[in-house]
Amino acid sequence: MAYYVEVRNLVKVFKSHASRSSTVRAVDGISFGVREGELITLLGPSGCGKTTTLRLVGGFEIPTEGDIFIDGVRVNDQPPNARPTSMVFQSYALFPHMTVFENIAYGLKNKRLPSDEIKTKVLETLEIVGLQELEKRYPGQLSGGQQQRVALARAIVMEPKVLLLDEPLSNLDAKLREQMRVELKKLQTRLRITSIYVTHDQLEAMTLSDRVVVMKDGKIVQIDSPERIYRFPTNKFVAGFIGKANFLKGKIGKVWEESCELVMTNGMKLEADLPKGHNFEVGEEVLIVVRPEGISFCESSQAHIVGHVISRIYTGGAASFEVETDQGVMTVEVTNPLALALPSIDENVGLSFSRTAVAVVKAE
Amino acid sequence: MYTFKQIKRIWNEPVLLAMIVLVVVLLIVFVIYPIAMVFFKSLQPTGEGFDLSVYKALFTKKYFRAPFFNSLKLGVSVASVGVLVGYIFAYAITRVNIPGKVFFRTAASFPIISPPFVIALAAILLFGRNGFITHQLLKGKLNVEIYGFWGLLVVETLAYFPTAFMTLEGILQSIDPALEEASLSLKASKWKTFWRVTFPLSMPGILASWLLVFSQSMADFGNPLILSGNYHVLSVAAYLEITGSYRIPYGSGLAILLLIPTLIAFFVQRYWLSRKSYITVTGKPSAMRILEPTKWVKAIFTLVSAFLVGIIFLFYGTVFYGSFTKLWGVDHSLTLDNYRYVFDIGSEYLKDTLFLATIATPFSGVLGMITAYLVARKEFPGRRVVEALSLLTFAVPGTVVGIGYLLAFNQRPLMLTGTALIIILVFVFRYLPVGVQNGVAALYQIDPAIEEASLDLGASSYRTFWKITMPLMMPAFFAALFYTFVKSMTAISAVIFVVSGKWQLITVAILGSVENSDLAQAAAFSYVLIGFVVIAMFLLRWITNLFSYQERIRRARA
Amino acid sequence: MKKLGFVVLVLALLASTAYAAQVLHMYTALDGNEWPIYVRAFEKATGIKVEVVRMSSGEVLARVEAEAKNPQASIWFGGPAVDQIAAKKKGLLEPYKSPNAWSMPLAFKDPDGYWTGFYFGAIGFASNTEQLKELGVEPPTSWYDLLKPEFKGRISLAYPYTSGTAYTVLASLVALMGEDEAFEYWKKLHKQIHHYNKSGSACVTQVGLGEVTVGIAFAHDVIKKGISKGYPVTLSFPKEGTGYEVGAMSIIKGGPEPELAKKFIDWMLTAEAQNLMKQWYRIPLNPDAEVAEGSVKMGDVKVVPMDFDYFGREKDRLIERWKNEIEYGS
């Protein structure tokens, strides 16, 4: 299936701020595609090149190399105002001298739509984002969440072929962020606008995206659905960046088409699922990824690994433990802690891993 | 490759390209060319051929060497005393929490917006040969010689310490009081905290304002012209060399001598010192919590500040009183004759000055904003050079500019001598840097994403400038207008070389009156000028209220 | 839009300066209150409009020189002949022999007509009578009286390089004593000087106000700006003989309105115009003109014969020497 938005071998080189002669490859030869109506997330730590990629698609940066296609048209040479994209900025970039209405109407005026049509569209969009009655306010008079919605409304009123969102929730406080995340999800389900969403927050990425593009140092590390990225990370970075993970050394004992048997350094064996088409081989040294929420306490005899508790933090809905083992300190998370008899500090415990909480990545 | 793509992009936006070309051409013709002419003439002692005999004379003849060293000595002294006074004042306001801060701050801004030589005029009225204090009060028992180094030191310090004060106030405000609190909690005394924490952190600001005041003193023309006595300084020497002895090569040479130290000071301050700064001024001073100092410290700082402001009031008050006296020093009975004279005989001067300043102001403002926009927001080859050029006239003393315009626009194809245009051009380009700086500062505070958002929403870069950028720059634009207007009204050092009979300026009339010992008349002229400045200030506030979006929002809120 | 406006303004300003019918552009070194007396009368008598720029005599010369390629004015009115001789030397003037220059003595006009005199003035001493009384001295009647200890720090005059008046003082001393002796004398005088001014007549007001006791200036300035204003000022002359100036006017070479300039010179030499000068206590050169009461005449003072041509030629050198030996001497 042809992609609606396609990026091919994109490279962006900046002059380094530190010294005049050196350069920084902010985006280093990436390629990916977005299907129509799909929301994909560019996820990565700060400085990984995700915002630069978004700005290249939006036309705010000129690519050093590579091509960008939208709906089959190469847009490399189009300035932002000619591209069929709309951007929601991290800082919202609301025009402080215009009212909410004027802000949202601005783009429509640039399209030279008749004013009654503009009015209808603006009011409709305000209703979509839940900001009726506020159209006469100035941005300075709005709360952070309201400003966020105006920024969103201003972009979607343009009915863009592609909606670009640059960390749109990062300026909100935690509670509001959660609320807006849910609303964005609903909105996306309803409107199905092809979107590229940039964030460094894995939770946002998991919640919102159809697919996630994990980036590091200007390169793409993995592209996949949220579930599969969590379940089958391709390397230690992805495993550690998305969700929490304990890493244990091990070896492949046996290997099948979609699973394998792992041998831990203490001789214990366990089975794990693998993605189709993996390239693990018997005897290969690997890292075993164990998600903390998939570990439970048990008798030493039934345990995959043993150790003693060195800390215990109770947070209401969950409790987290640090257990020292001969493989290093492991984190264990227990949900519904009140229902169980939990070990205390210095207690010797056994840990067993549920199969769905175990993944395998190449040793580095 | 990269630059090529940039050029290609600029080429695709003809309006932008035209703007860049326009600004570059204007800067070359009206900033670089005149200064180059001064340099050129100083190498042509006989009118043809080139040699260095002028400079040889400047360094061997005592009457040329003396002004150079006099200017340096005065500049160093004024800068040192001015920065000290400015620092004390700034410290009192930002760190000691003295009562009446707004009042003190306002009073300190008087010398900045008033005609440059009002303070010198006040000094003459008070301490001159017929001074109120020296002559009337002390009956000549105390022999104060106001004409010369000491008089200039006092007058220029009063005139230029506000510059240092404003710079240092900003710096002190940006030093987080938490740093001082940390020092105190680590058991350093307040005294030690000041010397080990506050003072070192304000050092870049101190050096910057020192250089700023140094340049201002070097470039000062109005005060030395009427107060230097036999203490010749470069700016006046260059002026006399050209208008008194009509030796243009030597006047040009002196102007170049004046230019060199001020240029060095400017570049050191701008390109070296600015990088040394420990703190980046965010424009958002954190809510100041300051430690309440002891009663004594507070009392001392309040007294010192009050004393300083007292002198400012004494000086301005004296000129005000003087403007109503019949004959200063002889007959102090009150009269309106001086104002009658100003509005009768002097009305031509008033009309011309107002007209010229009013024409120049919007051009300077708009050009400043355009330049600021190009420099701060657009990528094009030579951007840094354009920025440096647009700020250059800051560093160039008015005397040099005046001589430059006199020499440069005197022949085809730019035959402007004697026209109003040459005066207007002096105003426009002399005060352009403030517009550029205000504009750049405003732009740096406006999130570039706002303009990107506009482009993203389908507006062209031209439309984005007029619809988004310009409205947001309005406050900076009006501030630049105000500055240009005030400075044009009170200008003297550059325009004195290009005024003609057809176009006369109030400042020139004031200098004439002072030279003629018509002090009361000069005082009346000065206050009429101050009156115009105050009216302009209120007008500006009114217009700003009318057009600024911040005001509209404030009203919407109410 | 904005740019277009700018261009229009530039064109308008250029056009407005180019358009000037029947307007005479004049540089004058006469006092701001004096030139209107003659200029307004001339405008009334001829209907020609005059645009006047006032500058000190030295400034006029500098300006005319600077504008040599593009003269902005047609006539140079007033100021001592010395500066106009300098201008003649630099080729900045146009000769014109006015039919009204009668049988004027040669000292009062250029033999080739490059400049024409219209008044005569003598250097004198202005003294503050009240201060003289306090000090118990008589008004100075000799150059050497100025060296009296009572006058120490109580004398002012202008810099010879900024003021025609002060240069005339220097020239008269050279004419009277010989150059070296004159400089020796001024070295002693320098110690008596309170300060130097930039304009020649400023010292009269200063004497009137009591800022200094004695000023050295032209007699007509002393009367006009001192005595006639009611200041306690008295005028005296050195018995050894004093210097004088001839107030001159000339036509600037290549100026825009040479014909109007000639008309002005002719008119200024008529008795009708010369009569006006009594308002300023000047001594007219037209023998038919009236002399103001209390004014001095050529015969009232002893003058040293002065070779203006010589002093015009030697001005740069004399001033250079003055700066070296007097101002920056010792």
Side-chain angles (χ1 to χ4, degrees):
Chain A
M1 171 183 170
Y3 286 118
Y4 193 63
V5 179
E6 192 174 356
V7 163
R8 278 188 212 151
N9 301 320
L10 206 56
V11 174
K12 177 67 189 177
V13 178
F14 286 113
K15 281 181 203 151
S16 167
H17 283 291
S19 86
R20 255 155 218 268
S21 53
S22 70
T23 54
V24 176
R25 292 176 82 85
V27 173
D28 197 0
I30 65 167
S31 304
F32 66 90
V34 189
R35 298 186 188 98
E36 194 162 1
E38 185 183 40
L39 187 150
I40 76 156
T41 299
L42 304 182
L43 176 68
S46 60
C48 71
K50 55 189 189 300
T51 295
T52 307
T53 307
L54 192 75
R55 291 170 60 80
L56 285 162
V57 175
F60 302 109
E61 308 283 354
I62 313 166
T64 313
E65 286 169 39
D67 295 304
I68 300 162
F69 295 90
I70 296 175
D71 202 4
V73 181
R74 185 174 174 275
V75 294
N76 279 36
D77 296 324
Q78 289 181 3
N81 45 342
R83 292 195 188 186
T85 55
S86 276
M87 178 120 145
V88 177
F89 291 82
Q90 181 174 14
S91 59
Y92 315 144
L94 299 181
F95 307 127
H97 59 304
M98 295 182 185
T99 61
V100 168
F101 185 93
E102 288 166 333
N103 261 284
I104 299 173
Y106 183 81
L108 299 175
K109 278 189 192 152
N110 290 333
K111 280 188 176 174
R112 298 181 199 282
L113 294 189
S115 62
D116 47 340
E117 196 182 333
I118 291 179
K119 193 165 179 193
T120 324
K121 286 196 175 209
V122 171
L123 294 178
E124 262 174 38
T125 316
L126 278 171
E127 208 178 313
I128 292 176
V129 298
L131 282 182
Q132 306 93 315
E133 317 289 308
L134 289 180
E135 79 263 18
K136 289 207 177 79
R137 299 269 186 98
Y138 285 94
Q141 297 169 270
L142 302 178
S143 70
Q146 289 170 328
Q147 290 182 9
Q148 221 293 314
R149 285 164 212 245
V150 177
L152 193 62
R154 193 176 65 180
I156 59 178
V157 79
M158 297 293 286
E159 294 165 11
K161 287 186 172 175
V162 185
L163 182 65
L164 307 173
L165 301 109
D166 183 10
E167 310 217 18
L169 304 182
S170 64
N171 279 345
L172 302 175
D173 61 48
K175 259 243 164 71
L176 208 53
R177 186 155 47 203
E178 204 178 313
Q179 190 191 328
M180 281 305 295
R181 198 165 61 218
V182 175
E183 277 190 39
L184 270 180
K185 178 78 193 168
K186 282 188 202 153
L187 208 62
Q188 167 62 11
T189 323
R190 191 170 137 204
L191 300 174
R192 295 311 304 177
I193 307 172
T194 311
S195 308
I196 305 178
Y197 190 106
V198 161
T199 183
H200 63 267
D201 181 336
Q202 43 130 343
L203 205 57
E204 264 173 42
M206 303 302 257
T207 321
L208 294 169
S209 341
D210 296 311
R211 286 188 303 140
V212 178
V213 177
V214 184
M215 292 181 68
K216 191 194 176 197
D217 297 335
K219 294 195 162 80
I220 292 177
V221 191
Q222 187 171 4
I223 308 180
D224 225 326
S225 68
E227 296 81 6
R228 284 178 61 85
I229 282 195
Y230 191 73
R231 192 82 176 82
F232 304 119
T234 49
N235 63 18
K236 188 181 175 187
F237 168 76
V238 178
F241 191 74
I242 293 161
K244 291 177 195 161
N246 295 298
F247 295 102
L248 301 171
K249 281 183 186 148
K251 230 186 233 176
I252 305 271
K254 295 172 187 156
V255 61
W256 301 281
E257 197 179 338
E258 285 187 70
S259 62
C260 67
E261 185 188 77
L262 295 161
V263 184
M264 291 170 62
T265 46
N266 59 7
M268 292 296 296
K269 292 178 179 171
L270 71 156
E271 287 195 0
D273 295 325
L274 290 176
K276 243 184 207 170
H278 67 82
N279 57 355
F280 289 104
E281 286 167 18
V282 173
E284 191 180 339
E285 301 270 346
V286 293
L287 276 178
I288 304 168
V289 181
V290 189
R291 300 292 181 188
E293 68 275 10
I295 305 176
S296 51
F297 295 109
C298 62
E299 294 296 319
S300 307
S301 55
Q302 296 157 12
H304 289 113
I305 196 163
V306 292
H308 70 278
V309 177
I310 54 173
S311 83
R312 130 179 194 164
I313 298 162
Y314 173 68
T315 56
S320 99
F321 294 82
E322 282 184 322
V323 178
E324 186 157 348
T325 69
D326 58 356
Q327 289 271 304
V329 176
M330 292 185 68
T331 310
V332 177
E333 263 173 25
V334 179
T335 48
N336 198 7
L338 297 177
L340 299 163
L342 292 171
S344 47
I345 290 188
D346 275 342
E347 201 177 318
N348 287 325
V349 292
L351 303 176
S352 83
F353 313 148
S354 84
R355 177 174 178 147
T356 51
V358 176
V360 186
V361 298
K362 303 258 176 189
E364 279 162 19
Chain B
M1 185 74 179
Y2 184 64
T3 353
F4 175 73
K5 281 191 180 166
Q6 273 184 358
I7 293 169
K8 204 174 139 196
R9 264 222 166 171
I10 294 167
W11 198 255
N12 286 335
E13 293 190 72
V15 178
L16 180 65
L17 183 71
M19 290 280 185
I20 293 172
V21 171
L22 176 80
V23 167
V24 169
V25 167
L26 287 177
L27 288 177
I28 289 175
V29 175
F30 295 109
V31 176
I32 295 295
Y33 172 55
I35 298 169
M37 275 303 281
V38 179
F39 185 63
F40 184 72
K41 282 279 169 184
S42 73
L43 297 173
Q44 266 197 325
T46 51
E48 48 196 47
F50 292 95
D51 61 62
L52 288 170
S53 62
V54 167
Y55 290 94
K56 208 174 139 198
L58 293 184
F59 284 106
T60 49
K61 303 235 189 246
K62 202 178 170 195
Y63 58 84
F64 283 137
R65 230 170 33 210
F68 180 65
F69 288 106
N70 284 349
S71 273
L72 283 182
K73 181 180 158 195
L74 183 66
V76 168
S77 312
V78 170
S80 306
V81 180
V83 168
L84 180 69
V85 173
Y87 195 87
I88 292 174
F89 211 68
Y91 194 85
I93 283 181
T94 57
R95 283 293 193 271
V96 185
N97 195 19
I98 56 168
K101 283 196 282 284
V102 175
F103 168 74
F104 281 128
R105 203 179 279 133
T106 313
S109 68
F110 281 8
I112 292 182
I113 58 162
S114 77
F117 34 71
V118 170
I119 297 179
L121 179 60
I124 294 176
L125 292 174
L126 288 168
F127 302 102
R129 292 182 280 264
N130 241 321
F132 192 74
I133 291 180
T134 40
H135 200 74
Q136 306 285 123
L137 292 182
L138 303 169
K139 303 281 176 211
K141 273 177 215 127
L142 183 73
N143 197 8
V144 181
E145 182 52 60
I146 191 81
Y147 295 87
F149 175 76
W150 291 103
L152 279 175
L153 176 60
V154 171
V155 163
E156 290 192 353
T157 299
L158 276 178
Y160 300 129
F161 93 88
T163 319
F165 159 68
M166 298 213 292
T167 312
L168 292 166
E169 191 194 14
I171 290 286
L172 283 173
Q173 251 167 4
S174 65
I175 299 174
D176 190 345
L179 295 173
E180 287 160 353
E181 287 168 1
S183 165
L184 290 171
S185 80
L186 295 167
K187 307 301 167 235
S189 67
K190 283 193 174 179
W191 182 247
K192 197 164 178 188
T193 296
F194 173 77
W195 286 110
R196 298 295 298 276
V197 177
T198 319
F199 186 73
L201 283 175
S202 44
M203 207 55 206
I206 291 175
L207 289 176
S209 49
W210 193 93
L211 290 169
L212 225 61
V213 177
F214 171 76
S215 304
Q216 284 183 321
S217 164
M218 289 287 290
D220 190 12
F221 175 78
N223 288 313
L225 187 66
I226 62 181
L227 207 61
S228 60
N230 295 336
Y231 189 84
H232 294 294
V233 295
L234 276 176
S235 58
V236 176
Y239 169 72
L240 293 180
E241 199 61 31
I242 285 183
T243 60
S245 310
Y246 38 89
R247 297 202 296 183
I248 286 168
Y250 290 93
S252 302
L254 287 168
I256 294 294
L257 286 194
L258 177 61
L259 179 63
I260 291 167
T262 49
L263 269 191
I264 292 174
F266 173 75
F267 282 106
V268 167
Q269 195 250 322
R270 185 155 180 89
Y271 293 100
W272 179 72
L273 207 55
S274 60
R275 265 186 243 149
K276 293 257 151 188
S277 178
Y278 300 109
I279 354 148
T280 42
V281 180
T282 52
K284 267 190 233 160
S286 55
M288 290 289 273
R289 309 154 280 126
I290 51 175
L291 299 165
E292 193 62 19
T294 62
K295 239 183 233 165
W296 284 108
V297 171
K298 203 164 166 171
I300 289 169
F301 271 101
T302 310
L303 273 180
V304 170
S305 308
F307 175 71
L308 199 61
V309 169
I311 292 180
I312 293 176
F313 273 95
L314 173 68
F315 273 48
Y316 282 87
T318 305
V319 177
F320 189 66
Y321 171 55
S323 72
F324 290 103
T325 55
K326 267 215 172 91
L327 191 57
W328 188 264
V330 177
D331 183 354
H332 284 193
S333 53
L334 297 180
T335 170
L336 283 172
D337 283 353
N338 301 310
Y339 286 94
R340 230 166 267 140
Y341 175 86
V342 167
F343 285 109
D344 180 19
I345 309 280
S347 65
E348 287 291 320
Y349 294 85
L350 298 185
K351 267 188 271 171
D352 285 359
T353 311
L354 264 179
F355 174 77
L356 295 169
T358 309
I359 300 272
T361 299
F363 282 109
S364 190
V366 170
L367 187 61
M369 291 305 119
I370 291 174
T371 312
Y373 177 71
L374 295 177
V375 162
R377 281 289 195 265
K378 293 290 161 186
E379 283 284 336
F380 58 93
R383 188 177 64 91
R384 305 288 298 175
V385 180
V386 168
E387 183 182 18
L389 284 187
S390 68
L391 296 178
L392 189 65
T393 37
F394 247 166
V396 180
T399 309
V400 183
V401 175
I403 295 173
Y405 273 61
L406 179 74
L407 298 175
F409 303 116
N410 186 30
Q411 43 199 304
R412 283 174 202 287
L414 286 164
M415 213 158 62
L416 305 174
T417 326
T419 61
L421 187 58
I422 194 168
I423 303 175
I424 292 170
L425 286 168
V426 167
F427 289 161
V428 168
F429 286 94
R430 205 155 154 59
Y431 306 119
L432 181 66
V434 174
V436 175
Q437 253 195 352
N438 283 357
V440 168
L443 282 170
Y444 283 153
Q445 283 189 357
I446 302 170
D447 184 352
I450 291 181
E451 285 154 304
E452 289 176 353
S454 166
L455 289 175
D456 192 55
L457 294 168
S460 66
S461 94
Y462 183 70
R463 186 169 153 84
T464 300
F465 179 77
W466 288 110
K467 283 274 158 186
I468 305 295
T469 319
M470 202 58 195
L472 294 178
M473 287 170 87
M474 272 299 162
F477 176 61
F478 285 120
L481 287 189
F482 173 66
Y483 179 87
T484 307
F485 182 77
V486 168
K487 285 290 168 182
S488 302
M489 291 290 288
T490 59
I492 184 74
S493 58
V495 280
I496 197 158
F497 290 94
V498 295
V499 288
S500 53
K502 201 165 170 187
W503 300 99
Q504 284 289 7
L505 298 173
I506 303 179
T507 45
V508 179
I510 296 177
L511 285 181
S513 301
V514 174
E515 172 76 19
N516 233 337
S517 295
D518 288 329
L519 297 181
Q521 220 173 71
F525 262 124
S526 301
Y527 261 92
V528 170
L529 205 48
I530 290 175
F532 279 127
V533 170
V534 171
I535 291 170
M537 203 155 68
F538 281 110
L539 214 64
L540 173 88
R541 191 163 294 170
W542 180 69
I543 294 175
T544 313
N545 284 355
L546 219 59
F547 288 105
S548 124
Y549 70 93
Q550 283 149 334
E551 275 305 313
R552 247 190 300 150
I553 294 170
R554 208 176 53 77
R555 273 202 304 275
R557 235 173 236 166
Chain C
M1 274 272 285
K2 304 259 158 182
K3 270 173 295 162
L4 186 70
F6 184 70
V7 171
V8 168
L9 181 90
V10 169
L11 290 178
L13 286 167
L14 287 174
S16 72
T17 52
Y19 172 81
Q22 286 300 93
V23 174
L24 173 60
H25 288 85
M26 167 187 284
Y27 288 155
T28 183
L30 294 180
D31 187 279
N33 293 321
E34 183 183 10
W35 63 257
I37 301 172
Y38 319 120
V39 169
R40 300 292 169 243
F42 172 72
E43 286 178 330
K44 219 175 187 181
T46 61
I48 297 165
K49 176 119 181 54
V50 188
E51 291 279 3
V52 182
V53 183
R54 188 205 120 66
M55 286 172 281
S56 79
S57 188
E59 281 178 285
V60 178
L61 180 50
R63 181 71 73 96
V64 170
E65 192 182 3
E67 293 170 353
K69 287 184 189 161
N70 172 31
Q72 293 295 306
S74 306
I75 186 164
W76 177 353
F77 178 47
V82 187
D83 286 321
Q84 299 191 11
I85 289 169
K88 169 193 168 190
K89 264 174 55 192
K90 294 183 191 234
L92 303 170
L93 301 180
E94 186 79 42
Y96 173 59
K97 290 182 179 172
S98 170
N100 290 358
W102 343 248
S103 50
M104 209 189 258
L106 209 57
F108 297 147
K109 65 184 184 205
D110 184 74
D112 303 318
Y114 281 94
W115 56 270
T116 313
F118 67 99
Y119 70 82
F120 158 78
I123 296 289
F125 304 139
S127 312
N128 184 303
T129 49
E130 289 167 7
Q131 292 193 352
L132 287 179
K133 224 179 284 166
E134 274 175 43
L135 295 170
V137 285
E138 292 295 308
T141 53
S142 154
W143 289 106
Y144 295 96
D145 282 351
L146 300 178
L147 304 181
K148 281 182 182 171
E150 289 90 340
F151 291 134
K152 191 169 174 63
R154 289 176 170 275
I155 299 172
S156 82
L157 77 163
Y159 293 109
Y161 55 91
T162 61
S163 141
T165 307
Y167 182 65
T168 308
V169 175
L170 179 62
S172 9
L173 288 170
V174 171
L176 181 71
M177 304 172 180
E179 193 175 317
D180 291 340
E181 183 59 31
F183 276 91
E184 279 312 306
Y185 167 80
W186 202 316
K187 272 178 202 162
K188 291 177 204 142
L189 179 65
H190 186 67
K191 300 199 174 85
Q192 304 284 90
I193 303 285
H194 181 270
H195 70 274
Y196 292 93
N197 300 304
K198 277 164 211 89
S199 96
S201 63
C203 67
V204 178
T205 320
Q206 289 159 3
V207 169
L209 295 171
E211 293 178 18
V212 290
T213 310
V214 179
I216 309 172
F218 280 115
H220 49 82
D221 285 332
V222 178
I223 300 168
K224 171 74 190 173
K225 297 184 110 177
I227 299 168
S228 77
K229 274 199 171 174
Y231 285 124
V233 173
T234 178
L235 173 66
S236 56
F237 292 96
K239 58 179 185 267
E240 297 89 354
T242 194
Y244 63 97
E245 66 161 356
V246 173
M249 48 194 175
S250 52
I251 295 174
I252 296 163
K253 193 167 163 185
E257 315 90 0
E259 287 315 310
L260 301 184
K262 285 175 189 166
K263 267 189 196 157
F264 184 86
I265 289 180
D266 292 347
W267 178 85
M268 196 59 220
L269 295 170
T270 62
E272 171 207 353
Q274 296 253 302
N275 282 343
L276 297 169
M277 291 196 300
K278 68 181 176 187
Q279 293 179 37
W280 210 257
Y281 307 90
R282 299 230 184 251
I283 310 155
L285 288 177
N286 186 329
D288 298 335
E290 302 157 15
V291 180
E293 215 171 305
S295 178
V296 279
K297 287 178 190 160
M298 184 101 180
D300 293 349
V301 281
K302 186 179 170 194
V303 294
V304 226
M306 288 173 70
D307 179 353
F308 289 128
D309 198 35
Y310 174 83
F311 287 114
R313 232 174 23 241
E314 297 295 311
K315 185 172 180 184
D316 278 359
R317 188 184 60 77
L318 286 172
I319 280 179
E320 171 96 17
R321 182 168 178 188
W322 187 88
K323 279 188 184 172
N324 274 331
E325 293 183 17
I326 313 291
E327 193 178 11
Y328 292 92
S330 77

